[in-house]
Amino acid sequence: QVQLVESGGGLVQAGGSRGLSCTTSGRTLYVMGWFRQAPGKDREFVAAINWSDSRTDYSDSVKGRFTISRDNAKSTVYLQMNSLKPEDTAVYYCAARIKAGDSNNVRLYDYWGQGTQVTVSS
């Protein structure tokens, strides 16, 4: 059974920074993604990274502000969030695909963490 555990959420003022971590265990994973969901809204793609070659993908809303990275030895994926805006407020979820392929579609992911709340004050 795959387990994904997020950490690092909390309260930050607009313009500030926050780093999230996702530890993984259980089996081989090919694509790791970060998604977020605000109250009353659909779950939204944020960023993704391939385990094998570190190729990354970002949503337009976070491009240039957020950075996804991974440490294969530690089985950990990170999301560094800079220049945060109130619109970034959401529960952030770590997700994993067990097959290679597209990374920005929420319905393609096989496993999900419990989520961690990020709140950006105005």
Side-chain angles (χ1 to χ4, degrees):
Q1 177 65 45
V2 169
Q3 287 188 302
L4 307 176
V5 181
E6 305 97 332
S7 62
L11 177 65
V12 60
Q13 293 188 354
S17 299
R18 196 81 179 185
L20 306 180
S21 298
C22 174
T23 59
T24 72
S25 63
R27 62 157 291 166
T28 299
L29 304 170
Y30 291 89
V31 183
M32 298 297 302
W34 286 98
F35 292 77
R36 64 189 183 186
Q37 188 166 24
K41 296 185 177 181
D42 293 334
R43 194 162 297 187
E44 175 189 27
F45 171 74
V46 175
I49 188 168
N50 289 348
W51 278 113
S52 60
D53 61 8
S54 196
R55 180 182 178 184
T56 59
D57 189 23
Y58 297 93
S59 70
D60 290 340
S61 63
V62 307
K63 193 173 300 181
R65 299 188 297 121
F66 291 10
T67 302
I68 188 170
S69 61
R70 58 100 177 92
D71 186 332
N72 288 1
K74 296 181 178 180
S75 299
T76 300
V77 177
Y78 306 94
L79 184 69
Q80 179 62 42
M81 305 182 293
N82 299 325
S83 301
L84 283 162
K85 306 174 181 179
E87 307 92 270
D88 296 317
T89 296
V91 176
Y92 282 71
Y93 295 91
C94 179
R97 291 198 68 187
I98 59 175
K99 294 182 178 179
D102 292 345
S103 61
N104 63 354
N105 188 336
V106 65
R107 308 199 71 164
L108 296 177
Y109 283 77
D110 302 287
Y111 298 98
W112 295 85
Q114 293 294 311
T116 184
Q117 177 72 45
V118 175
T119 302
V120 184
S121 62
S122 59

XYZ file of all heavy atoms in Angstrom, residues 19-110:
727
model
N 7.419 26.240 2.495
C 7.866 25.015 1.864
C 7.073 23.817 2.342
O 6.838 23.658 3.543
N 6.645 22.976 1.411
C 5.908 21.764 1.717
C 6.753 20.544 1.379
O 7.566 20.575 0.451
C 4.604 21.697 0.926
C 3.648 22.883 1.036
C 2.409 22.640 0.189
C 3.276 23.148 2.479
N 6.531 19.464 2.109
C 7.208 18.210 1.861
C 6.202 17.081 1.748
O 5.141 17.121 2.367
C 8.194 17.881 2.989
O 9.198 18.858 3.096
N 6.547 16.070 0.970
C 5.722 14.881 0.827
C 6.634 13.668 0.858
O 7.462 13.485 -0.043
C 4.930 14.918 -0.483
S 3.999 13.416 -0.843
N 6.487 12.853 1.879
C 7.246 11.611 1.965
C 6.414 10.471 1.399
O 5.196 10.426 1.587
C 7.648 11.294 3.411
O 6.472 11.185 4.221
C 8.538 12.391 3.962
N 7.080 9.554 0.703
C 6.387 8.460 0.038
C 6.931 7.118 0.491
O 8.094 6.995 0.890
C 6.516 8.547 -1.490
O 7.855 8.210 -1.880
C 6.200 9.952 -1.983
N 6.085 6.101 0.409
C 6.502 4.744 0.720
C 5.529 3.766 0.078
O 4.389 4.117 -0.228
C 6.558 4.507 2.232
O 5.275 4.645 2.822
N 5.977 2.524 -0.126
C 5.071 1.467 -0.559
C 5.401 0.783 -1.871
O 5.321 -0.447 -1.950
N 5.750 1.538 -2.912
C 6.033 0.956 -4.221
C 6.657 1.991 -5.137
O 6.743 3.171 -4.791
C 4.769 0.385 -4.858
C 3.686 1.420 -5.139
C 2.748 0.929 -6.234
N 3.424 0.889 -7.524
C 2.957 0.272 -8.604
N 1.804 -0.399 -8.539
N 3.629 0.298 -9.735
N 7.034 1.530 -6.323
C 7.624 2.423 -7.312
C 6.576 3.403 -7.836
O 5.463 3.017 -8.195
C 8.206 1.626 -8.482
O 9.234 0.762 -7.996
C 8.795 2.560 -9.530
N 6.946 4.660 -7.873
C 6.090 5.718 -8.379
C 6.797 6.420 -9.528
O 8.024 6.511 -9.541
C 5.751 6.717 -7.278
C 5.113 6.115 -6.026
C 5.046 7.157 -4.921
C 3.729 5.567 -6.336
N 6.020 6.930 -10.486
C 6.613 7.519 -11.681
C 6.461 9.026 -11.756
O 7.369 9.711 -12.208
C 6.019 6.867 -12.923
C 6.439 5.429 -13.080
C 5.711 4.399 -12.498
C 7.596 5.106 -13.782
C 6.114 3.079 -12.622
C 8.004 3.790 -13.911
C 7.259 2.781 -13.327
O 7.663 1.475 -13.448
N 5.319 9.539 -11.344
C 5.055 10.966 -11.387
C 4.504 11.406 -10.039
O 3.589 10.770 -9.502
C 4.053 11.335 -12.493
C 3.856 12.849 -12.551
C 4.516 10.808 -13.841
N 5.045 12.488 -9.520
C 4.547 13.073 -8.284
C 3.977 14.443 -8.586
O 4.580 15.225 -9.326
C 5.652 13.205 -7.251
C 6.264 11.883 -6.817
S 5.062 10.798 -5.985
C 4.535 11.828 -4.622
N 2.835 14.731 -8.013
C 2.192 16.008 -8.243
C 1.737 16.674 -6.968
O 1.551 16.029 -5.932
N 1.598 17.976 -7.060
C 0.962 18.770 -6.018
C -0.320 19.368 -6.588
O -0.304 19.952 -7.678
C 1.869 19.893 -5.514
C 2.992 19.440 -4.639
C 4.282 19.210 -5.001
C 2.919 19.180 -3.235
N 5.023 18.823 -3.921
C 4.212 18.790 -2.818
C 1.897 19.239 -2.292
C 4.503 18.456 -1.500
C 2.187 18.899 -0.980
C 3.464 18.522 -0.594
N -1.399 19.206 -5.855
C -2.686 19.789 -6.192
C -3.177 20.595 -5.006
O -2.705 20.420 -3.886
C -3.704 18.705 -6.548
C -3.405 17.980 -7.826
C -2.425 17.000 -7.883
C -4.110 18.277 -8.985
C -2.140 16.332 -9.060
C -3.844 17.609 -10.175
C -2.864 16.648 -10.211
N -4.138 21.460 -5.260
C -4.724 22.218 -4.166
C -6.218 22.351 -4.372
O -6.718 22.288 -5.487
C -4.079 23.600 -4.036
C -4.305 24.520 -5.219
C -3.450 25.772 -5.081
N -3.695 26.723 -6.157
C -3.005 27.838 -6.340
N -2.010 28.150 -5.505
N -3.298 28.650 -7.351
N -6.923 22.545 -3.269
C -8.367 22.664 -3.323
C -8.837 23.676 -2.294
O -8.598 23.509 -1.099
C -9.037 21.311 -3.071
C -10.534 21.313 -3.303
C -11.101 19.907 -3.387
O -10.514 18.964 -2.867
N -12.226 19.766 -4.049
N -9.486 24.719 -2.777
C -10.087 25.720 -1.924
C -11.548 25.355 -1.677
O -12.154 24.625 -2.468
C -9.988 27.100 -2.566
N -12.144 25.852 -0.602
C -13.540 25.523 -0.309
C -14.466 25.860 -1.471
O -14.402 26.950 -2.036
C -13.858 26.396 0.912
C -12.541 26.575 1.581
C -11.549 26.685 0.454
N -15.316 24.904 -1.845
C -16.274 25.117 -2.906
C -15.714 25.042 -4.309
O -16.444 25.295 -5.273
N -14.439 24.702 -4.454
C -13.815 24.644 -5.765
C -13.278 23.250 -6.056
O -13.078 22.441 -5.153
C -12.672 25.661 -5.860
C -13.122 27.113 -5.746
C -11.971 28.067 -5.969
C -12.429 29.509 -5.918
N -11.299 30.453 -6.159
N -13.048 22.987 -7.339
C -12.474 21.714 -7.753
C -11.005 21.637 -7.374
O -10.334 22.664 -7.208
C -12.605 21.528 -9.261
C -14.031 21.369 -9.725
O -14.869 20.927 -8.921
O -14.301 21.678 -10.900
N -10.522 20.418 -7.255
C -9.111 20.226 -7.009
C -8.318 20.665 -8.238
O -8.640 20.294 -9.367
C -8.826 18.765 -6.678
C -7.448 18.529 -6.093
C -7.376 17.183 -5.375
N -8.273 17.124 -4.234
C -8.316 16.122 -3.364
N -7.511 15.086 -3.509
N -9.181 16.151 -2.360
N -7.271 21.448 -8.020
C -6.550 22.139 -9.075
C -5.096 21.694 -9.124
O -4.423 21.610 -8.089
C -6.634 23.652 -8.827
C -5.832 24.512 -9.769
C -5.789 25.954 -9.325
O -5.917 26.213 -8.106
O -5.636 26.843 -10.195
N -4.607 21.464 -10.330
C -3.204 21.117 -10.521
C -2.303 22.284 -10.174
O -2.586 23.431 -10.518
C -2.964 20.702 -11.975
C -1.518 20.532 -12.325
C -0.806 19.430 -11.886
C -0.868 21.477 -13.098
C 0.533 19.267 -12.208
C 0.468 21.329 -13.434
C 1.165 20.220 -12.979
N -1.199 21.989 -9.501
C -0.223 23.009 -9.139
C 1.120 22.748 -9.815
O 1.635 23.590 -10.539
C -0.025 23.078 -7.611
C 1.086 24.068 -7.264
C -1.324 23.473 -6.921
N 1.689 21.578 -9.578
C 3.006 21.253 -10.114
C 3.209 19.750 -10.100
O 2.551 19.030 -9.339
C 4.112 21.944 -9.308
N 4.129 19.267 -10.931
C 4.437 17.842 -10.976
C 5.888 17.633 -11.360
O 6.517 18.503 -11.975
C 3.526 17.117 -11.962
N 6.400 16.462 -11.014
C 7.779 16.120 -11.327
C 7.893 14.626 -11.571
O 7.232 13.829 -10.900
C 8.734 16.574 -10.191
C 10.187 16.397 -10.598
C 8.425 15.832 -8.890
C 11.164 17.092 -9.642
N 8.728 14.255 -12.545
C 9.024 12.845 -12.789
C 10.132 12.386 -11.859
O 11.132 13.078 -11.676
C 9.479 12.625 -14.233
C 8.363 12.777 -15.231
O 7.193 12.826 -14.878
N 8.728 12.840 -16.512
N 9.965 11.203 -11.283
C 11.016 10.655 -10.430
C 12.299 10.386 -11.204
O 13.393 10.640 -10.717
C 10.545 9.358 -9.771
C 9.714 9.540 -8.556
C 8.396 9.238 -8.420
C 10.129 10.047 -7.282
N 7.957 9.525 -7.157
C 8.999 10.025 -6.427
C 11.338 10.523 -6.780
C 9.055 10.459 -5.106
C 11.386 10.964 -5.462
C 10.253 10.926 -4.643
N 12.159 9.888 -12.426
C 13.310 9.391 -13.163
C 14.229 10.481 -13.692
O 15.452 10.374 -13.567
C 12.852 8.513 -14.320
O 12.032 9.237 -15.211
N 13.664 11.525 -14.290
C 14.487 12.531 -14.951
C 14.294 13.944 -14.427
O 14.881 14.881 -14.961
C 14.252 12.505 -16.459
C 12.814 12.807 -16.855
O 12.016 13.181 -15.972
O 12.489 12.658 -18.044
N 13.451 14.123 -13.426
C 13.207 15.412 -12.784
C 12.521 16.427 -13.692
O 12.539 17.624 -13.397
C 14.516 16.001 -12.248
O 14.253 17.041 -11.319
N 11.921 15.970 -14.784
C 11.139 16.877 -15.618
C 9.988 17.434 -14.794
O 9.336 16.716 -14.048
C 10.597 16.148 -16.836
C 9.775 17.027 -17.760
C 9.218 16.242 -18.927
N 8.396 17.065 -19.787
C 7.714 16.630 -20.833
N 7.766 15.347 -21.159
N 6.987 17.467 -21.559
N 9.719 18.734 -14.957
C 8.702 19.399 -14.157
C 7.627 20.038 -15.023
O 7.822 20.307 -16.213
C 9.324 20.480 -13.261
O 9.999 21.447 -14.074
C 10.309 19.869 -12.283
N 6.494 20.296 -14.394
C 5.381 20.971 -15.037
C 4.703 21.833 -13.984
O 4.612 21.439 -12.814
C 4.404 19.956 -15.622
C 3.335 20.591 -16.494
O 3.565 21.694 -17.013
O 2.272 19.968 -16.668
N 4.228 23.017 -14.399
C 3.586 23.940 -13.485
C 2.325 24.511 -14.099
O 2.240 24.704 -15.319
C 4.509 25.113 -13.142
C 5.768 24.731 -12.422
C 6.941 24.466 -13.119
C 5.795 24.643 -11.029
C 8.105 24.120 -12.453
C 6.949 24.296 -10.358
C 8.102 24.040 -11.071
O 9.258 23.695 -10.413
N 1.361 24.809 -13.256
C 0.207 25.548 -13.714
C 0.606 27.000 -13.968
O 1.561 27.509 -13.371
C -0.920 25.494 -12.687
O -0.590 26.245 -11.530
N -0.126 27.660 -14.851
C 0.185 29.052 -15.162
C 0.070 29.950 -13.931
O 0.788 30.939 -13.798
C -0.738 29.572 -16.256
C -0.447 28.961 -17.606
O 0.668 28.440 -17.806
O -1.334 29.003 -18.482
N -0.815 29.616 -13.021
C -1.056 30.461 -11.864
C 0.106 30.486 -10.875
O 0.214 31.420 -10.084
C -2.336 30.027 -11.145
O -2.221 28.712 -10.643
N 0.968 29.468 -10.908
C 2.077 29.412 -9.961
C 3.437 29.477 -10.629
O 4.458 29.596 -9.934
C 2.012 28.153 -9.075
C 0.650 28.041 -8.416
C 2.338 26.897 -9.876
N 3.484 29.411 -11.935
C 4.748 29.411 -12.664
C 5.551 30.664 -12.333
O 5.036 31.774 -12.360
C 4.484 29.318 -14.166
C 5.704 28.992 -15.008
C 5.301 28.749 -16.463
C 4.333 27.586 -16.592
N 3.946 27.334 -18.012
N 6.814 30.467 -12.012
C 7.680 31.567 -11.644
C 7.681 31.875 -10.167
O 8.545 32.630 -9.695
N 6.733 31.316 -9.421
C 6.653 31.539 -7.979
C 6.910 30.264 -7.176
O 7.496 30.324 -6.100
C 5.285 32.095 -7.593
C 4.964 33.435 -8.243
C 3.680 34.037 -7.659
N 2.514 33.200 -7.926
C 1.726 32.678 -6.988
N 1.967 32.914 -5.704
N 0.678 31.937 -7.330
N 6.454 29.128 -7.691
C 6.596 27.850 -6.994
C 7.652 27.000 -7.686
O 7.827 27.071 -8.911
C 5.276 27.073 -7.000
C 4.172 27.662 -6.168
C 4.273 28.937 -5.616
C 3.021 26.932 -5.942
C 3.246 29.472 -4.857
C 1.987 27.456 -5.182
C 2.096 28.721 -4.640
N 8.320 26.167 -6.910
C 9.307 25.244 -7.443
C 9.101 23.862 -6.843
O 9.065 23.717 -5.615
C 10.742 25.711 -7.145
O 10.952 27.011 -7.693
C 11.747 24.745 -7.763
N 8.961 22.853 -7.699
C 8.856 21.478 -7.238
C 10.208 20.796 -7.415
O 10.909 21.037 -8.400
C 7.743 20.711 -7.989
C 7.512 19.334 -7.354
C 8.043 20.599 -9.475
C 6.275 18.611 -7.887
N 10.572 19.958 -6.465
C 11.827 19.229 -6.539
C 11.668 17.892 -5.837
O 10.654 17.649 -5.170
C 12.971 20.030 -5.922
O 12.726 20.300 -4.555
N 12.662 17.025 -5.983
C 12.588 15.722 -5.351
C 13.956 15.247 -4.906
O 14.983 15.641 -5.470
C 11.940 14.698 -6.305
C 12.672 14.550 -7.646
C 13.554 13.358 -7.665
N 14.195 13.190 -8.963
C 15.384 13.690 -9.282
N 16.052 14.435 -8.413
N 15.907 13.455 -10.471
N 13.955 14.406 -3.894
C 15.148 13.749 -3.399
C 14.862 12.258 -3.445
O 14.161 11.729 -2.583
C 15.475 14.205 -1.979
C 16.787 13.655 -1.469
O 17.200 12.564 -1.901
O 17.412 14.316 -0.619
N 15.389 11.583 -4.459
C 15.087 10.165 -4.644
C 15.556 9.309 -3.468
O 14.872 8.361 -3.075
C 15.720 9.658 -5.936
C 15.016 10.172 -7.167
O 14.057 10.933 -7.087
N 15.491 9.755 -8.336
N 16.715 9.636 -2.925
C 17.260 8.860 -1.824
C 16.354 8.913 -0.598
O 16.273 7.947 0.162
C 18.660 9.342 -1.468
N 15.689 10.036 -0.400
C 14.801 10.208 0.743
C 13.342 9.934 0.408
O 12.489 10.031 1.292
C 14.935 11.626 1.305
C 16.309 11.945 1.860
C 16.350 13.356 2.424
C 17.704 13.671 3.017
N 17.765 15.044 3.573
N 13.068 9.621 -0.853
C 11.692 9.386 -1.309
C 10.781 10.544 -0.925
O 9.656 10.338 -0.460
C 11.164 8.065 -0.745
O 11.946 6.976 -1.184
N 11.273 11.745 -1.143
C 10.565 12.942 -0.721
C 10.450 13.935 -1.873
O 11.405 14.130 -2.631
C 11.277 13.613 0.459
O 11.344 12.694 1.559
C 10.531 14.850 0.910
N 9.289 14.544 -1.984
C 9.024 15.595 -2.962
C 8.739 16.886 -2.216
O 8.083 16.872 -1.162
C 7.839 15.223 -3.871
C 7.522 16.350 -4.842
C 8.144 13.952 -4.642
N 9.215 17.989 -2.765
C 9.076 19.283 -2.111
C 8.346 20.269 -3.018
O 8.389 20.175 -4.244
C 10.447 19.868 -1.771
C 11.318 18.952 -0.957
C 12.245 18.117 -1.579
C 11.215 18.911 0.431
C 13.046 17.269 -0.836
C 12.009 18.067 1.173
C 12.928 17.250 0.545
O 13.722 16.413 1.282
N 7.707 21.224 -2.389
C 7.118 22.343 -3.101
C 7.494 23.619 -2.372
O 7.016 23.870 -1.262
C 5.590 22.223 -3.193
C 4.897 23.314 -4.007
C 5.229 23.165 -5.493
C 3.390 23.281 -3.802
N 8.366 24.403 -2.981
C 8.752 25.685 -2.423
C 7.844 26.755 -3.019
O 7.792 26.915 -4.239
C 10.218 25.999 -2.732
C 10.685 27.344 -2.202
C 10.606 27.426 -0.689
O 10.960 26.486 0.002
N 10.128 28.561 -0.181
N 7.153 27.482 -2.165
C 6.183 28.477 -2.588
C 6.679 29.855 -2.183
O 6.858 30.136 -0.995
C 4.816 28.198 -1.964
C 4.296 26.796 -2.238
S 2.650 26.499 -1.531
C 3.046 26.563 0.227
N 6.903 30.709 -3.164
C 7.361 32.070 -2.934
C 6.332 33.065 -3.442
O 5.455 32.726 -4.237
C 8.699 32.308 -3.633
C 9.801 31.413 -3.143
O 9.870 31.080 -1.959
N 10.693 31.022 -4.046
N 6.464 34.300 -2.997
C 5.565 35.379 -3.424
C 4.108 34.958 -3.306
O 3.310 35.133 -4.229
C 5.891 35.801 -4.861
O 7.228 36.249 -4.972
N 3.753 34.422 -2.170
C 2.416 33.876 -1.982
C 1.349 34.957 -2.017
O 1.562 36.081 -1.566
C 2.343 33.114 -0.667
C 2.988 31.730 -0.709
C 3.273 31.226 0.696
C 2.079 30.754 -1.450
N 0.205 34.575 -2.557
C -0.951 35.445 -2.683
C -2.125 34.855 -1.914
O -2.183 33.646 -1.722
C -1.346 35.605 -4.154
C -0.235 36.067 -5.072
C -0.695 36.039 -6.523
C 0.407 36.474 -7.457
N -0.035 36.429 -8.875
N -3.079 35.687 -1.492
C -4.264 35.136 -0.833
C -4.979 34.077 -1.674
O -5.565 33.146 -1.106
C -5.151 36.370 -0.619
C -4.181 37.490 -0.495
C -3.072 37.155 -1.464
N -4.927 34.199 -2.990
C -5.549 33.231 -3.880
C -4.903 31.855 -3.806
O -5.472 30.878 -4.302
C -5.501 33.718 -5.337
C -6.077 35.107 -5.553
C -5.025 36.191 -5.451
O -4.805 36.703 -4.331
O -4.421 36.529 -6.492
N -3.726 31.762 -3.212
C -3.052 30.476 -3.043
C -3.588 29.693 -1.852
O -3.213 28.537 -1.662
C -1.550 30.675 -2.869
C -0.890 31.276 -4.101
O -1.213 30.847 -5.227
O -0.043 32.178 -3.926
N -4.432 30.309 -1.047
C -4.988 29.640 0.120
C -5.787 28.413 -0.293
O -6.705 28.501 -1.110
C -5.880 30.598 0.915
O -5.087 31.670 1.438
C -6.559 29.879 2.069
N -5.441 27.262 0.270
C -6.095 26.006 -0.084
C -5.503 24.886 0.757
O -4.487 25.066 1.432
C -5.904 25.689 -1.570
N -6.142 23.729 0.679
C -5.525 22.509 1.161
C -4.658 21.969 0.034
O -5.136 21.787 -1.086
C -6.566 21.460 1.584
C -5.879 20.160 1.997
C -7.423 21.989 2.725
N -3.409 21.720 0.325
C -2.469 21.225 -0.677
C -2.283 19.726 -0.503
O -2.012 19.246 0.599
C -1.124 21.951 -0.554
C -1.156 23.324 -1.166
C -1.878 24.350 -0.561
C -0.500 23.597 -2.364
C -1.946 25.611 -1.129
C -0.556 24.856 -2.940
C -1.282 25.859 -2.315
O -1.334 27.108 -2.886
N -2.431 18.997 -1.609
C -2.348 17.546 -1.603
C -1.166 17.057 -2.420
O -0.914 17.544 -3.523
C -3.618 16.927 -2.193
C -4.872 17.182 -1.403
C -5.672 18.284 -1.678
C -5.265 16.320 -0.393
C -6.832 18.522 -0.963
C -6.420 16.542 0.323
C -7.208 17.649 0.033
O -8.360 17.867 0.747
N -0.487 16.090 -1.903
C 0.517 15.346 -2.632
C -0.159 14.159 -3.307
O -1.024 13.508 -2.713
C 1.597 14.868 -1.660
S 2.917 13.899 -2.385
N 0.217 13.885 -4.558
C -0.385 12.794 -5.308
C 0.666 12.050 -6.114
O 1.724 12.605 -6.432
C -1.475 13.334 -6.239
N 0.365 10.800 -6.465
C 1.316 9.964 -7.180
C 0.646 9.159 -8.276
O -0.480 8.681 -8.113
C 2.019 9.017 -6.212
N 1.363 9.017 -9.387
C 0.958 8.121 -10.469
C 1.853 6.897 -10.474
O 3.064 7.004 -10.255
C 1.065 8.806 -11.827
C 0.077 9.923 -12.085
C -0.006 10.216 -13.586
N -0.628 9.096 -14.296
C -0.716 8.993 -15.621
N -0.215 9.929 -16.390
N -1.309 7.941 -16.165
N 1.279 5.738 -10.762
C 2.062 4.516 -10.869
C 2.410 4.187 -12.317
O 2.996 3.144 -12.592
C 1.345 3.325 -10.221
C -0.012 3.079 -10.888
C 1.178 3.573 -8.724
C -0.706 1.839 -10.375
N 2.064 5.085 -13.232
C 2.438 4.958 -14.630
C 3.022 6.273 -15.121
O 2.636 7.344 -14.657
C 1.236 4.589 -15.503
C 0.659 3.224 -15.245
C -0.496 2.950 -16.195
C -1.057 1.563 -15.975
N -2.201 1.287 -16.889
N 3.927 6.189 -16.082
C 4.457 7.382 -16.714
C 3.404 7.986 -17.628
O 2.546 7.277 -18.167
C 5.715 7.056 -17.504
N 3.472 9.303 -17.807
C 2.537 9.973 -18.688
C 2.251 11.388 -18.256
O 3.057 12.030 -17.583
N 1.076 11.879 -18.652
C 0.695 13.250 -18.326
C 0.622 13.455 -16.825
O 0.349 12.531 -16.052
C -0.642 13.591 -18.965
C -0.576 13.661 -20.475
O 0.538 13.731 -21.022
O -1.648 13.647 -21.115
N 0.819 14.695 -16.422
C 0.944 14.988 -15.003
C -0.032 16.024 -14.466
O -0.101 16.208 -13.249
C 2.371 15.473 -14.704
O 2.664 16.650 -15.428
N -0.794 16.682 -15.332
C -1.611 17.802 -14.884
C -3.102 17.500 -14.755
O -3.887 18.406 -14.474
C -1.415 19.004 -15.811
C -1.870 18.742 -17.234
O -2.238 17.633 -17.587
N -1.830 19.777 -18.061
N -3.489 16.272 -14.940
C -4.892 15.882 -14.843
C -5.138 15.178 -13.514
O -4.571 14.121 -13.251
C -5.275 14.970 -16.003
C -6.762 14.699 -16.068
O -7.488 14.794 -15.079
N -7.233 14.339 -17.260
N -5.983 15.746 -12.694
C -6.240 15.209 -11.365
C -6.743 13.772 -11.402
O -6.461 12.989 -10.486
C -7.233 16.119 -10.599
C -8.610 16.110 -11.277
C -7.340 15.704 -9.146
N -7.450 13.404 -12.460
C -8.067 12.088 -12.526
C -7.091 10.987 -12.917
O -7.460 9.812 -12.877
C -9.250 12.108 -13.498
C -10.241 13.223 -13.214
C -11.589 12.983 -13.836
N -12.315 11.917 -13.163
C -13.615 11.690 -13.295
N -14.340 12.470 -14.072
N -14.182 10.692 -12.644
N -5.865 11.335 -13.267
C -4.870 10.347 -13.643
C -4.073 9.829 -12.452
O -3.346 8.846 -12.592
C -3.906 10.931 -14.679
C -4.517 11.319 -16.029
C -3.446 11.943 -16.921
C -5.137 10.114 -16.707
N -4.189 10.450 -11.318
C -3.380 10.080 -10.170
C -4.013 8.944 -9.382
O -5.242 8.879 -9.224
C -3.129 11.292 -9.288
C -2.075 12.201 -9.882
C -2.381 13.051 -10.929
C -0.765 12.165 -9.410
C -1.408 13.851 -11.501
C 0.208 12.967 -9.966
C -0.116 13.806 -11.018
O 0.855 14.603 -11.576
N -3.174 8.072 -8.863
C -3.614 6.846 -8.220
C -3.653 6.920 -6.699
O -4.456 6.234 -6.065
C -2.693 5.695 -8.635
C -2.655 5.507 -10.133
O -3.654 5.014 -10.694
O -1.621 5.862 -10.752
